[in-house]
Amino acid sequence: QSVLTQPPSASGTPGQRVTISCSGSSSNIGGNTVNWYQQLPGTAPKLLIYSNNQRPSGVPDRFSGSKSGTSASLAISGLQSEDEADYYCAAWDDSLNGVLFGGGTKLTVL
Amino acid sequence: EVQLVESGGGLVQPGGSLRLSCAASGFTFSSYWMSWVRQAPGKGLEWVANIKHDGSEKYYVDSVKGRFTISRDNAKNSLYLQMNSLRAEDTAVYYCAKRRGCTSSRCNLGYFDYWGQGTLVTVSS
């Protein structure tokens, strides 16, 4: 199975900027768009970034996404305690003919 | 307001069957691809299956092919997942998700814009 690779954990202090990386291959990130989901503890995932760098209405502009080649990243600026959550990247995989998720990154606000 | 409400989860023995349902409201259900995504306890998200807006195309992750069947009833605004020959590794919270950004023929640029609250499936003897 293909895989999107994320760091298992990330951390920062309030007000800091943190980035979470997502690495894939030509069959997924390289040829398709990347989306990011936020999952707060005990809740369902929520769409955070779509089409590489677009924010749904209601998502603060502190969250931004980017993609280059077969990698993508999520940046969170002005870190807040309520940002403490699991973050997942996702992209369509042409080999799987379905959606591939990254393993998730647990963000801790120190 | 878009709402997706799953039901049908529960405890089932290995080899058993279960049918999950997802009741959709707040959008034109028949116009969108829909999906099931699962999350094993303490683990990450795993896409399970997609179904085209008219039910004419269905796709599955390899681990459930031949055992799970995704279907929909557009007249009832409902999505289903029939799960047969269940295994311990199928234990997870199953989420129904609406997929946006798909064309009539492809869904590679789409994304999950709404999720249900999930229903827990536990496979154990």
Side-chain angles (χ1 to χ4, degrees):
Chain A
Q1 286 280 17
S2 305
V3 62
L4 300 183
T5 302
Q6 297 180 236
S9 63
S11 63
T13 57
Q16 263 191 333
R17 183 178 189 269
V18 297
T19 61
I20 297 172
S21 62
C22 177
S23 176
S25 68
S26 58
S27 67
N28 40 70
I29 293 177
N32 300 296
T33 52
V34 178
N35 310 302
W36 291 89
Y37 301 91
Q38 177 192 57
Q39 188 175 32
L40 297 169
T43 69
K46 167 194 162 186
L47 179 65
L48 194 64
I49 297 288
Y50 68 96
S51 299
N52 303 326
N53 55 17
Q54 302 299 302
R55 279 187 313 275
S57 61
V59 173
D61 59 6
R62 302 186 295 105
F63 295 90
S64 62
S66 64
K67 172 189 147 178
S68 178
T70 59
S71 294
S73 64
L74 172 71
I76 310 171
S77 59
L79 199 60
Q80 299 181 4
S81 58
E82 54 261 40
D83 298 333
E84 195 160 278
D86 293 324
Y87 293 85
Y88 295 90
C89 61
W92 185 268
D93 187 275
D94 296 327
S95 302
L96 179 65
N97 209 9
V99 178
L100 200 58
F101 286 94
T105 297
K106 184 176 184 62
L107 175 63
T108 301
V109 181
L110 302 170
Chain B
E1 178 195 5
V2 171
Q3 283 200 322
L4 298 170
V5 180
E6 301 95 336
S7 60
L11 175 64
V12 61
Q13 291 190 338
S17 298
L18 214 53
R19 188 196 196 207
L20 305 183
S21 300
C22 172
S25 61
F27 66 101
T28 306
F29 181 73
S30 59
S31 296
Y32 292 91
W33 288 65
M34 296 293 295
S35 301
W36 288 98
V37 177
R38 67 184 179 183
Q39 185 171 34
K43 302 296 184 183
L45 302 171
E46 180 184 39
W47 166 76
V48 174
N50 278 350
I51 185 168
K52 195 175 179 180
H53 62 276
D54 60 1
S56 63
E57 295 179 29
K58 305 173 185 182
Y59 302 95
Y60 302 90
V61 68
D62 283 349
S63 59
V64 308
K65 282 179 183 174
R67 301 188 300 122
F68 290 12
T69 302
I70 188 172
S71 63
R72 64 191 298 161
D73 185 335
N74 286 345
K76 295 183 177 180
N77 289 340
S78 293
L79 177 72
Y80 306 101
L81 186 67
Q82 177 67 43
M83 303 185 296
N84 299 330
S85 303
L86 282 161
R87 306 167 180 166
E89 54 265 35
D90 296 318
T91 294
V93 173
Y94 284 73
Y95 294 102
C96 162
K98 171 179 170 281
R99 192 149 177 89
R100 185 171 179 176
C102 303
T103 68
S104 59
S105 58
R106 292 201 74 191
C107 219
N108 61 315
L109 302 182
Y111 49 92
F112 300 120
D113 62 343
Y114 288 95
W115 300 64
Q117 86 289 349
T119 186
L120 176 62
V121 172
T122 303
V123 184
S124 174
S125 54

